[in-house]
Amino acid sequence: MNREDFLAVYRHSMSHILAKAVIEIFGKENVQYAIGPQIDDGFYYDFLLPRTVTQEDFATIEDKMREIIKRREDWLVKEVSKADGLEMFSDQQFKKELIQDLPDEEKITVYYTGDDFVDLCRGPHIENSQDLMGVAFQIKSASGSYWRGDENREQLQRIYVYAFPDKQQLKEHLNFIKEAMERDHKKLGPQLELFMFDETAPGMPYWLPRGWRLYNTLQEFSRGLQDEYGYQEICAPIFNNRKLYLISGHWAHYQNNMFVVPELDRDEDGHILLDENGSFKMKPVEEADIYSAKPMNCPNAMIVFKSKTRSYRDLPLRLSENQVLHRKEKSGQLNGLLRVQEFRQDDDHTFVMESQIEEEIGKIFELTDKIYSTLGLEYRAELSTRPEDFMGDIEVWNDAERALKRILDSKYGEGGYEINEGDGAFYGPKIDLQMKDALGREWQCGTIQLDFQLPLNFELKYTAPDGSLKQPVVIHRALYGSFERFIAVIIENFKGAFPFWLAPTQVAVVPIKEEHNAYAKEVCDLLRANHIRYEVDYEDKNMNAKIKEFKNFKIPYIVVVGGNEAEECTVSINIRGTNQQLRGVPLDMFLDMCDQMNEEHSLELLDKKPE
């Protein structure tokens, strides 16, 4: 048995131990047990219990689990009929429901742990509880969940447990979790005053001044590189009539994720009509103009392409757009900046001839390498192929997938990338870019998608060299993906301590006393003139208190100025993350240091005076 199979077997078996422990603690008559699968770092089990499980219960449950393991009970598997299964679990509503959903002829397997606990399960499992003697485990948390993920069904309690083959691996994982929690963007974002949320706009971030500077710096960095590759930026309407999405196919495939604005009914004078309950009256659907906040930019790019006659000489035509998008998410799916309802995306839609596909995607990979390497990030590519609800001709899909495979084979070698069968967009296959952070976690941010369908739907044409009209191919491309998601990832990757060129505030200026404010202002004026982002504290308070406050925002350089600095036109510099201070650095030399790091997009701070 390989390691993955072993982890699955013993973690799944441990979930049965957890269920048995909970039943013994709360009493069988008080417990309805639902499902208990293994997950990446352990397992969980869902229960309906007479009271809420709290952290004070964790030790009691863990001790009971250890006690059960020490009993060295045999595990017995039996195959039973559907009728026998319903009888066996007659007092367990969730097990009965699972069994009732099975075909009548299907045989069911159940596992006994000792003589007094049985669970509905496909297995496989261990043979005796003693096989779990070396397993190291610890309850992670208890939280709410809905039966079958349906918010209209019973609310259950989900107990999560970490489980590893030995104590050392558990310890290493707990250290990893601790470090991940310290890097959590939902904690660091508000702490560093980057962004906030408010209940009046769920899943729609407020960008605070520091965060918006970070946002714009990333955007301008990307824009500068795109200029080198011949991209042209456009801006299209945020609200669009559903007619646009009927043409693109998004209305059929995506309307449940759209923020839809139905038309209100009005009288001849334009006054909104109310129904008998005092609620707004809607126009009949067949008469209404229904609008939606756009969930993606692609249909608008098609409209721009179609707005004038195009020639093969215009291609590739690269239309980029950083526009606000809205996607309707369930409240339980929202997760800081990682899963939001309002976001911006560094979109591009490049229109090409078929003969240009491979060369153009090669250039996109060049651009990707420049962006990710500048941020010190690694990535790998995955190919996602035709989904079940695909649009268009299957042979066109096959051609598109073959083209992307040739590109990936050329870049990574045959077999040097993963294939996700059936995970493509409904209009075309795609390459997803999986980015790795400082903790080794992978995040799907960028994407490159090949699309033969939208040009067909919108009847896009260009004039070929022989004078005939041909249909272009569209390459959808986002490298950051959602700015919000990407920023969440880099907050956690850098632990909020951004490289100098990216830091929201690059330099903090601290005058020692009020009489040094005039020189501090001179320093700030020069920083502004050199496009260096700064903050200054002119308040009449202790210098060390000012420094401490700026350190909380993880600012790369804190510049201290007093009488000597003013007299000699120098600065003294505290360097982030060190106890090091550079004293008496000539001001023009410090400005050169800052310019150098901005120009080079350096990941490291200069920690000595330039020669």
Side-chain angles (χ1 to χ4, degrees), residues 237-311:
I238 294 175
F239 279 87
N240 295 275
N241 193 290
R242 69 170 169 170
K243 295 173 185 175
L244 181 68
Y245 303 115
L246 286 169
I247 297 171
S248 70
H250 289 101
W251 191 258
H253 291 81
Y254 213 80
Q255 63 177 287
N256 292 334
N257 294 95
M258 294 184 181
F259 282 91
V260 177
V261 183
E263 188 176 3
L264 300 177
D265 207 359
R266 300 172 184 267
D267 62 21
E268 294 179 355
D269 296 323
H271 300 127
I272 296 172
L273 298 176
L274 303 178
D275 62 21
E276 60 275 11
N277 298 316
S279 300
F280 292 135
K281 191 174 181 182
M282 305 296 175
K283 255 192 176 181
V285 172
E286 62 274 11
E287 300 175 17
D289 276 334
I290 297 176
Y291 284 79
S292 168
K294 66 177 178 179
M296 62 279 296
N297 292 310
C298 3
N300 298 96
M302 307 302 128
I303 296 295
V304 172
F305 182 93
K306 197 174 181 177
S307 66
K308 59 182 288 188
T309 302
R310 305 288 181 179
S311 159

XYZ file of all heavy atoms in Angstrom, residues 237-311:
611
model
N -18.730 49.013 -20.070
C -19.763 49.192 -19.044
C -19.788 48.054 -18.018
O -19.544 46.889 -18.354
C -21.059 49.211 -19.863
C -20.652 49.648 -21.224
C -19.298 49.080 -21.434
N -20.114 48.438 -16.781
C -20.235 47.444 -15.706
C -21.580 46.737 -15.795
O -21.677 45.530 -15.544
C -20.056 48.118 -14.333
C -18.625 48.645 -14.188
C -20.384 47.152 -13.202
C -18.393 49.418 -12.912
N -22.648 47.472 -16.139
C -23.975 46.883 -16.277
C -24.280 46.671 -17.761
O -24.049 47.550 -18.586
C -25.048 47.779 -15.648
C -25.138 47.624 -14.162
C -24.339 48.373 -13.326
C -26.011 46.702 -13.597
C -24.406 48.225 -11.953
C -26.090 46.541 -12.230
C -25.285 47.304 -11.397
N -24.826 45.490 -18.065
C -25.146 45.156 -19.444
C -26.504 44.459 -19.505
O -26.888 43.717 -18.593
C -24.087 44.222 -20.033
C -22.730 44.885 -20.141
O -22.438 45.562 -21.112
N -21.888 44.709 -19.128
N -27.189 44.688 -20.608
C -28.461 44.024 -20.840
C -28.230 42.526 -21.017
O -27.216 42.101 -21.575
C -29.117 44.604 -22.095
C -30.562 44.197 -22.230
O -30.867 43.045 -22.498
N -31.463 45.159 -22.054
N -29.188 41.742 -20.561
C -29.020 40.287 -20.655
C -28.870 39.814 -22.105
O -28.383 38.696 -22.345
C -30.186 39.563 -19.991
C -31.500 39.689 -20.711
C -32.548 38.758 -20.151
N -33.860 39.084 -20.693
C -34.930 38.329 -20.527
N -34.851 37.224 -19.819
N -36.089 38.693 -21.036
N -29.280 40.660 -23.084
C -29.117 40.293 -24.489
C -27.648 39.934 -24.777
O -27.364 39.031 -25.569
C -29.549 41.441 -25.402
C -31.030 41.789 -25.327
C -31.328 43.042 -26.134
C -32.789 43.487 -25.964
N -33.064 44.770 -26.644
N -26.729 40.674 -24.145
C -25.302 40.423 -24.361
C -24.941 39.013 -23.902
O -24.203 38.292 -24.580
C -24.479 41.461 -23.596
C -22.961 41.353 -23.729
C -22.527 41.704 -25.148
C -22.268 42.268 -22.726
N -25.476 38.615 -22.745
C -25.122 37.312 -22.167
C -25.890 36.168 -22.816
O -25.458 35.015 -22.746
C -25.349 37.346 -20.656
C -24.568 38.462 -19.998
C -25.212 39.520 -19.378
C -23.170 38.469 -20.059
C -24.494 40.554 -18.812
C -22.446 39.502 -19.496
C -23.110 40.546 -18.872
O -22.394 41.571 -18.320
N -27.018 36.475 -23.457
C -27.710 35.463 -24.251
C -26.871 35.098 -25.474
O -26.754 33.937 -25.855
C -29.089 35.970 -24.688
C -30.160 36.026 -23.600
C -31.387 36.801 -24.098
C -30.570 34.623 -23.155
N -26.247 36.117 -26.082
C -25.389 35.866 -27.240
C -24.150 35.081 -26.821
O -23.766 34.102 -27.464
C -24.970 37.187 -27.912
C -26.195 37.922 -28.462
C -23.957 36.925 -29.040
C -25.894 39.333 -28.938
N -23.522 35.496 -25.737
C -22.257 34.874 -25.316
C -22.452 33.466 -24.765
O -21.524 32.661 -24.766
C -21.573 35.746 -24.265
O -22.295 35.709 -23.038
N -23.668 33.189 -24.274
C -23.917 31.888 -23.657
C -23.817 31.911 -22.152
O -24.141 30.931 -21.480
N -23.390 33.050 -21.591
C -23.246 33.135 -20.133
C -24.599 33.091 -19.424
O -24.687 32.620 -18.289
C -22.494 34.411 -19.741
C -21.035 34.367 -20.088
N -20.524 34.989 -21.198
C -19.984 33.757 -19.472
C -19.222 34.781 -21.255
N -18.869 34.033 -20.231
N -25.643 33.593 -20.082
C -26.957 33.589 -19.420
C -27.419 32.159 -19.153
O -27.957 31.849 -18.095
C -27.978 34.338 -20.276
C -29.258 34.606 -19.537
C -30.435 33.927 -19.651
C -29.468 35.607 -18.543
N -31.377 34.448 -18.795
C -30.803 35.488 -18.102
C -28.661 36.607 -17.986
C -31.358 36.316 -17.133
C -29.211 37.450 -17.019
C -30.533 37.296 -16.608
N -27.171 31.276 -20.101
C -27.581 29.875 -19.928
C -26.693 29.143 -18.936
O -27.158 28.273 -18.198
C -27.551 29.162 -21.279
N -25.407 29.485 -18.898
C -24.461 28.736 -18.084
C -24.133 29.388 -16.746
O -23.584 28.744 -15.868
C -23.143 28.540 -18.857
C -23.257 27.623 -20.030
N -23.744 28.039 -21.251
C -22.962 26.310 -20.169
C -23.726 27.024 -22.099
N -23.266 25.963 -21.473
N -24.462 30.695 -16.583
C -23.885 31.422 -15.448
C -24.855 32.344 -14.724
O -24.473 33.031 -13.790
C -22.683 32.250 -15.963
C -21.582 32.402 -14.957
C -20.669 31.382 -14.737
C -21.460 33.572 -14.209
C -19.655 31.515 -13.812
C -20.443 33.717 -13.272
C -19.546 32.685 -13.076
O -18.558 32.809 -12.158
N -26.136 32.371 -15.127
C -27.019 33.399 -14.592
C -27.201 33.299 -13.077
O -27.439 34.311 -12.412
C -28.386 33.355 -15.288
C -29.169 32.081 -15.097
C -30.536 32.170 -15.762
O -31.415 32.858 -15.259
N -30.699 31.484 -16.884
N -27.085 32.098 -12.510
C -27.247 31.967 -11.058
C -26.122 32.635 -10.283
O -26.249 32.856 -9.076
C -27.346 30.487 -10.658
C -28.630 29.842 -11.141
O -29.630 30.528 -11.338
N -28.608 28.536 -11.345
N -25.021 32.944 -10.949
C -23.898 33.624 -10.297
C -23.845 35.107 -10.645
O -22.854 35.781 -10.352
C -22.577 32.958 -10.688
C -22.452 31.556 -10.161
O -22.761 30.601 -10.852
N -22.024 31.408 -8.925
N -24.906 35.623 -11.255
C -24.941 37.037 -11.632
C -25.794 37.841 -10.657
O -26.771 37.333 -10.107
C -25.520 37.205 -13.045
C -24.682 36.628 -14.158
S -25.438 37.014 -15.768
C -24.305 36.202 -16.885
N -25.413 39.097 -10.473
C -26.258 40.061 -9.772
C -27.198 40.661 -10.818
O -26.782 41.481 -11.635
C -25.419 41.158 -9.121
C -24.755 40.743 -7.835
C -23.482 40.191 -7.837
C -25.406 40.890 -6.620
C -22.874 39.804 -6.661
C -24.809 40.512 -5.436
C -23.548 39.963 -5.445
N -28.442 40.211 -10.811
C -29.409 40.607 -11.835
C -30.291 41.734 -11.304
O -30.748 41.704 -10.161
C -30.272 39.407 -12.255
C -31.336 39.831 -13.261
C -29.392 38.312 -12.851
N -30.508 42.749 -12.148
C -31.352 43.890 -11.776
C -32.593 43.864 -12.652
O -32.552 44.284 -13.819
C -30.605 45.222 -11.964
C -31.465 46.381 -11.497
C -29.274 45.198 -11.216
N -33.733 43.350 -12.142
C -34.956 43.351 -12.939
C -35.514 44.765 -13.052
O -35.219 45.637 -12.236
C -35.899 42.447 -12.133
C -35.418 42.569 -10.730
C -33.926 42.765 -10.809
N -36.321 45.000 -14.055
C -36.881 46.336 -14.268
C -38.142 46.522 -13.422
O -39.050 45.687 -13.437
C -37.204 46.553 -15.748
C -37.606 47.987 -16.045
C -37.829 48.231 -17.528
O -37.730 47.267 -18.312
O -38.116 49.391 -17.892
N -38.203 47.629 -12.673
C -39.384 47.951 -11.883
C -40.476 48.529 -12.778
O -40.197 49.236 -13.748
C -39.024 48.954 -10.792
C -37.969 48.515 -9.768
C -37.677 49.637 -8.792
C -38.422 47.277 -9.018
N -41.720 48.214 -12.426
C -42.851 48.740 -13.200
C -43.144 50.179 -12.770
O -43.061 50.511 -11.579
C -44.081 47.857 -12.962
C -45.031 47.889 -14.150
O -44.724 48.613 -15.123
O -46.059 47.200 -14.098
N -43.451 51.031 -13.703
C -43.691 52.451 -13.416
C -44.969 52.902 -14.117
O -45.401 52.316 -15.116
C -42.518 53.312 -13.889
C -41.184 52.978 -13.234
C -40.036 53.728 -13.887
N -38.744 53.341 -13.336
C -38.138 53.979 -12.333
N -38.719 55.052 -11.789
N -36.972 53.578 -11.885
N -45.544 54.002 -13.595
C -46.710 54.574 -14.270
C -46.242 55.518 -15.383
O -45.040 55.663 -15.638
C -47.642 55.277 -13.270
C -46.971 56.449 -12.564
O -45.959 56.973 -13.103
O -47.445 56.858 -11.490
N -47.196 56.202 -16.020
C -46.853 57.061 -17.161
C -45.950 58.222 -16.768
O -45.229 58.769 -17.610
C -48.134 57.591 -17.811
C -48.977 56.497 -18.468
C -50.256 57.057 -19.077
O -50.512 58.272 -18.893
O -50.983 56.294 -19.744
N -46.003 58.603 -15.486
C -45.159 59.718 -15.022
C -43.800 59.247 -14.510
O -43.011 60.043 -13.994
C -45.892 60.480 -13.905
C -47.173 61.143 -14.411
O -47.145 61.627 -15.560
O -48.172 61.148 -13.662
N -43.543 57.942 -14.593
C -42.250 57.423 -14.167
C -42.182 57.024 -12.713
O -41.109 56.659 -12.217
N -43.315 57.094 -11.994
C -43.312 56.705 -10.589
C -43.331 55.182 -10.454
O -44.079 54.491 -11.165
C -44.524 57.308 -9.855
C -44.545 58.801 -9.887
N -45.625 59.533 -10.328
C -43.592 59.721 -9.551
C -45.349 60.831 -10.257
N -44.117 60.963 -9.789
N -42.540 54.675 -9.514
C -42.474 53.232 -9.282
C -43.794 52.759 -8.691
O -44.322 53.355 -7.743
C -41.303 52.885 -8.333
C -39.969 53.250 -9.003
C -41.320 51.414 -7.961
C -38.774 53.136 -8.091
N -44.330 51.673 -9.234
C -45.587 51.112 -8.760
C -45.342 50.099 -7.644
O -44.330 49.392 -7.652
C -46.325 50.431 -9.910
C -46.730 51.340 -11.081
C -47.374 50.523 -12.189
C -47.698 52.430 -10.596
N -46.279 50.052 -6.709
C -46.210 49.102 -5.606
C -47.348 48.096 -5.734
O -48.434 48.419 -6.229
C -46.308 49.832 -4.265
C -45.274 50.921 -3.995
C -45.537 51.585 -2.643
C -43.865 50.359 -4.036
N -47.115 46.869 -5.253
C -48.187 45.883 -5.264
C -49.033 46.028 -4.002
O -48.829 46.949 -3.204
C -47.628 44.463 -5.402
C -46.726 44.062 -4.242
O -46.818 44.680 -3.157
O -45.930 43.126 -4.409
N -49.961 45.095 -3.794
C -50.897 45.214 -2.671
C -50.215 45.088 -1.318
O -50.743 45.506 -0.290
C -52.012 44.154 -2.794
C -51.543 42.714 -2.790
C -51.127 42.224 -4.180
O -51.018 43.074 -5.094
O -50.902 41.012 -4.330
N -48.986 44.514 -1.298
C -48.243 44.383 -0.038
C -47.283 45.542 0.203
O -46.539 45.551 1.172
C -47.459 43.070 -0.026
C -48.370 41.861 -0.115
O -49.397 41.817 0.568
N -48.003 40.892 -0.949
N -47.297 46.504 -0.712
C -46.406 47.651 -0.560
C -45.012 47.414 -1.094
O -44.115 48.238 -0.899
N -44.787 46.283 -1.765
C -43.464 45.974 -2.329
C -43.373 46.516 -3.750
O -44.395 46.752 -4.414
C -43.240 44.461 -2.348
O -43.297 43.932 -1.046
N -42.142 46.702 -4.216
C -41.948 47.162 -5.585
C -42.588 46.170 -6.565
O -42.472 44.951 -6.401
C -40.459 47.302 -5.913
C -39.772 48.403 -5.170
C -38.534 48.200 -4.589
C -40.363 49.656 -5.066
C -37.889 49.219 -3.903
C -39.728 50.682 -4.384
C -38.495 50.460 -3.798
N -43.213 46.683 -7.559
C -43.843 45.853 -8.573
C -42.888 45.718 -9.758
O -42.365 46.703 -10.262
C -45.168 46.470 -9.011
C -46.028 45.559 -9.862
C -47.387 46.210 -10.131
C -48.265 45.280 -10.966
N -49.565 45.929 -11.263
N -42.665 44.472 -10.179
C -41.754 44.220 -11.289
C -42.510 44.185 -12.604
O -43.657 43.741 -12.671
C -41.034 42.880 -11.090
C -40.305 42.768 -9.774
S -38.963 43.965 -9.637
C -38.440 43.676 -7.939
N -41.849 44.614 -13.657
C -42.429 44.485 -14.993
C -42.484 43.011 -15.361
O -41.596 42.237 -14.975
C -41.554 45.222 -16.014
C -42.141 46.536 -16.489
C -41.377 47.042 -17.692
C -42.038 48.316 -18.212
N -41.332 48.824 -19.400
N -43.469 42.591 -16.113
C -43.486 41.210 -16.602
C -42.187 40.906 -17.346
O -41.659 41.765 -18.076
C -44.688 41.180 -17.552
C -45.561 42.300 -17.079
C -44.640 43.362 -16.561
N -41.657 39.688 -17.144
C -40.348 39.335 -17.698
C -40.306 39.556 -19.208
O -39.308 40.052 -19.752
C -40.018 37.857 -17.371
C -38.753 37.431 -18.105
C -39.854 37.679 -15.878
N -41.392 39.228 -19.892
C -41.382 39.346 -21.351
C -41.322 40.801 -21.820
O -40.950 41.077 -22.951
C -42.612 38.650 -21.957
C -43.961 39.227 -21.535
C -44.484 38.643 -20.236
O -43.707 37.942 -19.551
O -45.650 38.920 -19.913
N -41.646 41.750 -20.922
C -41.618 43.171 -21.284
C -40.391 43.896 -20.717
O -40.092 45.017 -21.113
C -42.878 43.875 -20.768
C -44.186 43.315 -21.304
C -45.389 43.988 -20.657
O -45.203 45.068 -20.056
O -46.498 43.437 -20.750
N -39.714 43.260 -19.789
C -38.681 43.958 -19.010
C -37.338 43.983 -19.730
O -37.007 43.086 -20.509
C -38.527 43.289 -17.653
N -36.586 45.038 -19.467
C -35.179 45.090 -19.810
C -34.411 44.647 -18.572
O -34.375 45.373 -17.572
C -34.759 46.517 -20.194
C -35.058 46.834 -21.644
O -35.111 45.876 -22.440
O -35.230 48.014 -21.962
N -33.836 43.449 -18.631
C -33.124 42.906 -17.474
C -31.634 43.163 -17.655
O -31.050 42.831 -18.689
C -33.406 41.402 -17.310
C -34.901 41.195 -17.038
C -32.568 40.814 -16.182
C -35.312 39.748 -16.946
N -31.036 43.760 -16.635
C -29.607 44.065 -16.658
C -28.885 43.258 -15.585
O -29.481 42.836 -14.598
C -29.366 45.558 -16.439
C -29.666 46.398 -17.661
C -30.977 46.727 -17.997
C -28.645 46.850 -18.492
C -31.273 47.483 -19.123
C -28.923 47.605 -19.615
C -30.228 47.915 -19.931
O -30.499 48.662 -21.046
N -27.603 43.083 -15.800
C -26.781 42.378 -14.819
C -25.456 43.106 -14.660
O -24.903 43.630 -15.639
C -26.518 40.943 -15.288
O -25.509 40.333 -14.501
N -24.978 43.146 -13.411
C -23.595 43.576 -13.199
C -22.708 42.500 -13.810
O -22.897 41.313 -13.554
C -23.315 43.716 -11.704
N -21.762 42.902 -14.631
C -21.061 41.885 -15.411
C -20.180 41.000 -14.527
O -19.451 41.488 -13.658
C -20.246 42.515 -16.533
C -19.072 43.386 -16.140
C -18.375 43.839 -17.419
C -17.218 44.764 -17.118
N -16.524 45.194 -18.348
N -20.249 39.686 -14.756
C -19.418 38.756 -13.994
C -18.077 38.479 -14.665
O -17.188 37.899 -14.069
C -20.277 37.490 -13.959
C -21.044 37.543 -15.239
C -21.268 38.998 -15.548
N -17.947 38.861 -15.929
C -16.680 38.707 -16.646
C -16.637 39.726 -17.790
O -17.659 40.291 -18.174
C -16.502 37.283 -17.187
C -17.526 36.845 -18.183
S -19.047 36.286 -17.415
C -18.465 34.861 -16.506
N -15.437 39.940 -18.323
C -15.233 40.989 -19.322
C -15.365 40.514 -20.769
O -15.443 41.333 -21.681
C -13.831 41.599 -19.149
C -13.693 42.376 -17.857
O -14.515 43.227 -17.537
N -12.649 42.081 -17.096
N -15.363 39.193 -20.968
C -15.232 38.695 -22.345
C -16.291 39.201 -23.332
O -15.933 39.605 -24.445
C -15.171 37.165 -22.384
S -15.336 36.312 -20.850
N -17.597 39.180 -22.978
C -18.564 39.626 -23.992
C -18.334 41.064 -24.451
O -18.532 41.379 -25.627
C -19.916 39.477 -23.272
C -19.682 38.444 -22.219
C -18.279 38.691 -21.764
N -17.910 41.932 -23.522
C -17.661 43.333 -23.901
C -16.498 43.448 -24.877
O -16.510 44.283 -25.789
C -17.373 44.169 -22.661
C -18.547 44.190 -21.700
O -18.579 43.415 -20.752
N -19.523 45.052 -21.936
N -15.476 42.600 -24.688
C -14.344 42.627 -25.614
C -14.785 42.226 -27.019
O -14.287 42.751 -28.029
C -13.236 41.708 -25.111
N -15.746 41.294 -27.102
C -16.268 40.894 -28.417
C -16.954 42.078 -29.107
O -16.812 42.288 -30.320
C -17.270 39.741 -28.285
C -16.775 38.528 -27.519
S -15.298 37.760 -28.185
C -14.267 37.705 -26.706
N -17.691 42.857 -28.309
C -18.384 44.029 -28.856
C -17.366 45.042 -29.394
O -17.557 45.635 -30.464
C -19.276 44.684 -27.777
C -20.398 43.732 -27.348
C -19.853 46.001 -28.276
C -21.405 43.402 -28.422
N -16.277 45.262 -28.658
C -15.248 46.204 -29.109
C -14.624 45.724 -30.415
O -14.420 46.501 -31.357
C -14.174 46.395 -28.014
C -13.007 47.224 -28.558
C -14.771 47.067 -26.789
N -14.308 44.437 -30.510
C -13.718 43.913 -31.751
C -14.670 44.142 -32.923
O -14.254 44.530 -34.022
C -13.429 42.417 -31.607
C -12.775 41.819 -32.826
C -11.398 41.736 -32.913
C -13.533 41.347 -33.895
C -10.784 41.194 -34.037
C -12.940 40.803 -35.032
C -11.554 40.731 -35.106
N -15.954 43.924 -32.681
C -16.949 43.994 -33.751
C -17.315 45.426 -34.131
O -18.029 45.658 -35.113
C -18.209 43.229 -33.318
C -19.147 42.865 -34.450
C -20.285 41.985 -33.959
C -21.205 41.608 -35.114
N -22.286 40.705 -34.682
N -16.824 46.396 -33.376
C -17.243 47.787 -33.576
C -16.691 48.405 -34.855
O -17.130 49.485 -35.266
C -16.812 48.638 -32.379
O -15.393 48.712 -32.295
N -15.720 47.754 -35.496
C -15.176 48.288 -36.741
C -14.657 47.144 -37.597
O -14.490 46.015 -37.113
C -14.054 49.302 -36.460
C -12.886 48.736 -35.680
C -11.833 49.786 -35.384
C -11.061 50.178 -36.609
N -9.907 51.051 -36.294
N -14.399 47.422 -38.829
C -13.864 46.406 -39.736
C -12.431 46.072 -39.327
O -11.615 46.959 -39.063
C -13.887 46.927 -41.191
O -15.237 47.262 -41.541
C -13.352 45.874 -42.145
N -12.131 44.762 -39.272
C -10.793 44.317 -38.861
C -10.118 43.575 -40.016
O -10.774 42.867 -40.787
C -10.891 43.382 -37.657
C -11.642 43.964 -36.465
C -10.871 45.051 -35.758
N -11.626 45.575 -34.603
C -11.183 46.521 -33.804
N -9.992 47.070 -34.003
N -11.942 46.939 -32.800
N -8.806 43.742 -40.063
C -7.999 43.072 -41.083
C -6.996 42.146 -40.399
O -6.702 42.288 -39.201
C -7.252 44.123 -41.911
O -6.134 43.570 -42.564
